[in-house]
Structure formats: C-alpha cells, structure tokens
Amino acid sequence: EMGCDAEYVDDVHEELVCAVCHLPMLRAVGIHPCAHAFCEGCLVAPHTGVALQECPTCRGAVGSTMPMYMVRNMINGLSVYCVHKARGCEEKVKRGDLETHAATCGFAEVTCTHAGCGATVLRRDLKAHVAKCEWGLVTCPKRCGERVPRGKLEKHKAEECVKRMVECEKCGTKRKAEASEEHRKRLCPDREVECEVAGCGVMYKRGARAEHMKEHAERHVELLAAELKALLERTAVMERSIDWN
C-alpha cells in the first residue's frame, strides 16, 4: 500500500515524502544499513509481492527494515482535509485521525438501510431519507397486522388488505375482505345454490329458499318418500342376508 494521498493543509516537507510513490509516507520504515525511509508497502514489488532486495534510492542491499515511529508520528500529526471535502465537508483533521473521521463524516456516501432501495445518500441525509423511503416498512393503518413497503401501501390497502371493504358481485352488499368468502359460500342471498333435497336439482337464489320449498313441497315429499322406500328395501335385503343363527 502506497502513501496517503490526502490533501494536506500545508506543504509537506520533502523528507517525509516517499521516494517511490512521491506521497507522504504511510507506515514509514527505514532500510538498514542505508537508513533511507519509504512507505512500508513501497518496499514490496507490486507485481510479485516479493520484498525488494535493493534500496530504491541508493541501490544498496536491503539488510533489514525497521519501523520509523518518529517519522510516522510526524506525518500522522500533519493537518489534512477530509476526503469528502468535494462533497462539502470543511473539517481539517490530523492525518492519523483521518480514517476515524471519514468513518463518521456526514458527507460520506452511504447506502439506504432498507432492503430493495439501494439509494446512495450523504450520511447526514440518511435519517431524513429513511423516514420517507418508499422501501421503508410501515404498518397498515387498517390494522390488518401487515407491514409493507411505504411505496406499496396504497396498493395494499386497495387490493390486498384483509380489512379493506369489498362489494359482493351478486347482492351488492359490502363487508371486510376477510369475511367475503364466508358470505359468498354461506350467506349471500342472491347467489344460486342447489336444492338440498336429493333428486330435486333445482337451482335458486339462497334468499328464495322458503319460496322454493313452498312451491316444490309436494315434489319434495315424493322424493323423500322414494328415498325412504329405497332405504327400507336396502335394509330388508341386508337383514335377509344376515345369518341369525
């Protein structure tokens, strides 16, 4: 890793600049025995990852390297502008505190925390964005218990919520959607049903049941009598087939 390319408030002394990357040194190390200093990362060949065997400045042999803490402290004490200066941050911090500041800077770009959104906003604007984000989950005001994305709430209330009012296509009465199936199957007076008397087969509106029963009473008696006769005959056949001994 090469030196820190942050924007420094003041000019950096040349002795603190790495001769390889030409940036203020990052984690400065010194070479023994020549004592030239470089970024720790600049003493590694970029393509192979192998440590350099020669000093980049004097070409002397690299015997060993050692951290140069005094140089590091000097560089970390230099004032730099926030890396988000272009977005409006006016903070000046010590180079050693730059990463800490950047991690909390209000001008850093962050991604909305709501699943499905993906919008990128400044950290300082995140709270306001989240509060109105179309992907933020909100509780349905009809008290159905569902939490849906804010942008889909109106569709949910109009088409999906079990507490929404729906109109029966047969009788025109209204009720909550969660009760519409029971109404359709058991209660709607204008829905056609088949007479429950076996063999009748007449379809009539549920609300007209009494009228149908009255109108077809004689036929129903005949059908029930025939069913009873058939039942008695089957019973007699079964009794004759039983060996009572």
Side-chain angles (χ1 to χ4, degrees):
E1 188 175 1
M2 297 189 300
C4 179
D5 60 353
E7 182 181 352
Y8 289 77
V9 175
D10 301 309
D11 292 337
V12 179
H13 194 281
E14 62 181 9
E15 295 296 329
L16 302 178
V17 176
C18 175
V20 176
C21 66
H22 306 293
L23 295 170
M25 284 178 272
L26 183 64
R27 292 191 297 275
V29 295
I31 292 177
H32 180 76
C34 67
H36 289 130
F38 305 91
C39 299
E40 184 179 46
C42 288
L43 292 181
V44 177
H47 300 297
T48 64
V50 178
L52 299 180
Q53 300 301 308
E54 294 182 346
C55 172
T57 298
C58 67
R59 299 304 174 186
V62 177
S64 61
T65 61
M66 59 185 298
M68 300 191 71
Y69 293 112
M70 183 176 293
V71 175
R72 294 184 183 188
N73 291 337
M74 290 174 64
I75 295 175
N76 284 336
L78 298 175
S79 294
V80 296
Y81 292 104
C82 174
V83 293
H84 304 301
K85 177 183 176 183
R87 298 196 188 102
C89 183
E90 299 178 353
E91 288 292 323
K92 300 174 186 178
V93 298
K94 299 298 182 183
R95 213 287 294 271
D97 299 329
L98 184 58
E99 289 187 10
T100 300
H101 166 75
T104 58
C105 177
F107 290 87
E109 288 187 333
V110 294
T111 303
C112 176
T113 54
H114 289 142
C117 178
T120 300
V121 298
L122 297 184
R123 180 178 281 112
R124 68 174 190 167
D125 300 329
L126 181 61
K127 185 176 181 179
H129 168 80
V130 167
K132 62 179 182 180
C133 176
E134 294 291 280
W135 290 91
L137 295 181
V138 293
T139 302
C140 176
K142 293 182 179 294
R143 298 184 179 182
C144 68
E146 292 291 324
R147 286 176 58 78
V148 297
R150 183 178 285 105
K152 298 182 179 181
L153 180 59
E154 292 306 315
K155 181 178 184 297
H156 168 78
K157 292 194 298 182
E159 303 176 14
E160 302 166 355
C161 179
V162 296
K163 300 294 185 181
R164 73 187 189 280
M165 298 300 291
V166 296
E167 181 177 310
C168 175
E169 72 277 13
K170 293 293 185 179
C171 66
T173 59
K174 293 183 178 181
R175 64 200 36 79
K176 292 179 179 178
E178 61 188 353
S180 62
E181 187 65 11
E182 181 184 13
H183 170 79
R184 185 185 71 81
K185 289 182 176 180
R186 299 180 57 251
L187 303 174
C188 179
D190 288 346
R191 187 168 295 276
E192 288 194 340
V193 294
E194 185 176 354
C195 178
E196 65 263 34
V197 177
C200 177
V202 174
M203 300 293 293
Y204 58 87
K205 289 184 178 181
R206 183 179 284 115
R209 181 179 183 278
E211 180 180 344
H212 167 77
M213 290 297 181
K214 181 178 180 180
E215 182 179 344
H216 295 79
E218 185 175 342
R219 183 163 181 262
H220 287 169
V221 171
E222 293 174 354
L223 290 170
L224 292 172
E227 183 179 4
L228 178 59
K229 180 180 178 182
L231 178 60
L232 292 174
E233 290 175 351
R234 289 196 298 271
T235 302
V237 171
M238 291 177 62
E239 288 179 342
R240 286 196 297 271
S241 65
I242 297 174
D243 184 359
W244 298 98
N245 297 322

